[in-house]
Amino acid sequence: MNTTEVLEEYGLTRETAARYVDAITRSNQTQTAEELDVSRDTINRYKNAFAEMDAQERLLLISTLTQEKLLDQATE
């Protein structure tokens, strides 16, 4: 299983998932929704999707998206 498959299986977009992972580690759901400029319902849907994933899927997604973000920051 790869990152794209996990995102598709849970109906998540790569960009919002990456931003969600980054923001939710620093903020609560309301603050995360405001930062991402999405509704609390969207944040709750992402929270539920991550909760439904098994540990391997969650780890793959979080580590891949975090690595991509760090690489983007390093090349800016």
Side-chain angles (χ1 to χ4, degrees):
M1 183 167 278
N2 65 41
T3 305
T4 302
E5 292 171 341
V6 173
L7 290 166
E8 288 175 1
E9 180 177 339
Y10 293 95
L12 306 173
T13 65
R14 188 177 212 93
E15 179 184 352
T16 304
R19 293 175 62 209
Y20 171 81
V21 168
D22 179 52
I24 202 67
T25 59
R26 298 179 277 102
S27 309
N28 65 32
Q29 286 186 340
T30 300
Q31 293 165 328
T32 298
E34 290 171 2
E35 182 177 329
L36 274 59
D37 196 27
V38 298
S39 70
R40 290 217 35 219
D41 288 340
T42 298
I43 295 302
N44 200 43
R45 186 172 64 81
Y46 273 71
K47 175 187 168 193
N48 291 339
F50 274 82
E52 290 174 16
M53 293 176 195
D54 64 36
Q56 184 176 0
E57 291 171 324
R58 198 169 30 256
L59 180 59
L60 171 68
L61 193 56
I62 291 170
S63 63
T64 301
L65 296 174
T66 302
Q67 182 180 13
E68 289 172 359
K69 181 180 172 75
L70 291 172
L71 288 172
D72 286 345
Q73 288 176 342
T75 58
E76 290 179 351

